[in-house]
Amino acid sequence: MLKEHIGPDCKLVIVVERLARRDVRRAIHEGVDGLVLWSQVRTTLAPTIRAVLAGQLVLPREHGANLEPPRLSVREKQVLSLVVMGMSNREIATQLYIGETTVKTHLSSAFRKLDVESRGEAARVISDPSEGLGTGILSITE
């Protein structure tokens, strides 16, 4: 955690060029008190610093919803849970009684919601507690 390196009484505001859903959750997990987008630094840095010094967590307005875990459909959760268990698309299709193309469609949608590009990255994001998705994102049973 970043705060361990700089001290718990310090306030930490980070200026970033771009911000993905998981970046917001990770930054908060690391103890960041404020995030400012580089494109908005001139208008938002000073108010962000004042708000952080007043004890508030400050995020760019458009990224506030990124604190919530992605809303996956029931089928996306089923497909992802089988991905985490190491199944191929064909095995997933057989298990869920759907076509392989449908599996790919669900994976594509889930990848977009999780902001990942591959099965391995999805499995890592889902399994890694530091991603901040919470243990309730999937219910994995064998």
Side-chain angles (χ1 to χ4, degrees):
M1 198 160 139
L2 289 171
K3 287 281 183 120
E4 293 172 357
H5 299 290
I6 63 171
D9 296 330
C10 292
K11 299 294 184 187
L12 183 59
V13 175
I14 296 179
V15 178
V16 294
E17 190 166 332
R18 67 175 201 84
L19 208 50
R21 173 185 296 271
R22 65 181 181 194
D23 296 332
V24 174
R25 289 190 309 268
R26 182 174 289 143
I28 292 170
H29 177 75
E30 290 293 326
V32 171
D33 299 295
L35 289 167
V36 174
L37 292 172
W38 177 250
S39 62
Q40 301 170 354
V41 74
R42 285 188 175 164
T43 58
T44 61
L45 184 59
T48 297
I49 291 172
R50 283 192 294 274
V52 164
L53 290 173
Q56 298 176 4
L57 170 65
V58 182
L59 304 172
R61 180 169 294 154
E62 60 271 22
H63 292 284
N66 290 344
L67 295 176
E68 298 177 18
R71 295 179 190 220
L72 299 170
S73 72
V74 171
R75 190 58 102 179
E76 288 167 346
K77 289 179 181 181
Q78 290 171 334
V79 169
L80 285 171
S81 66
L82 297 174
V83 165
V84 170
M85 293 167 58
M87 289 189 177
S88 68
N89 287 354
R90 178 170 287 173
E91 292 169 324
I92 294 169
T94 301
Q95 177 83 20
L96 298 178
Y97 303 102
I98 58 178
E100 281 187 69
T101 303
T102 305
V103 171
K104 291 176 186 178
T105 300
H106 289 303
L107 284 174
S108 176
S109 175
F111 287 178
R112 188 177 61 259
K113 291 175 183 180
L114 293 171
D115 193 26
V116 299
E117 296 180 12
S118 69
R119 299 164 70 90
E121 193 177 1
R124 184 191 56 76
V125 164
I126 290 165
S127 304
D128 186 353
S130 72
E131 289 292 337
L133 295 177
T135 56
I137 192 168
L138 290 183
S139 171
I140 301 173
T141 57
E142 292 192 51

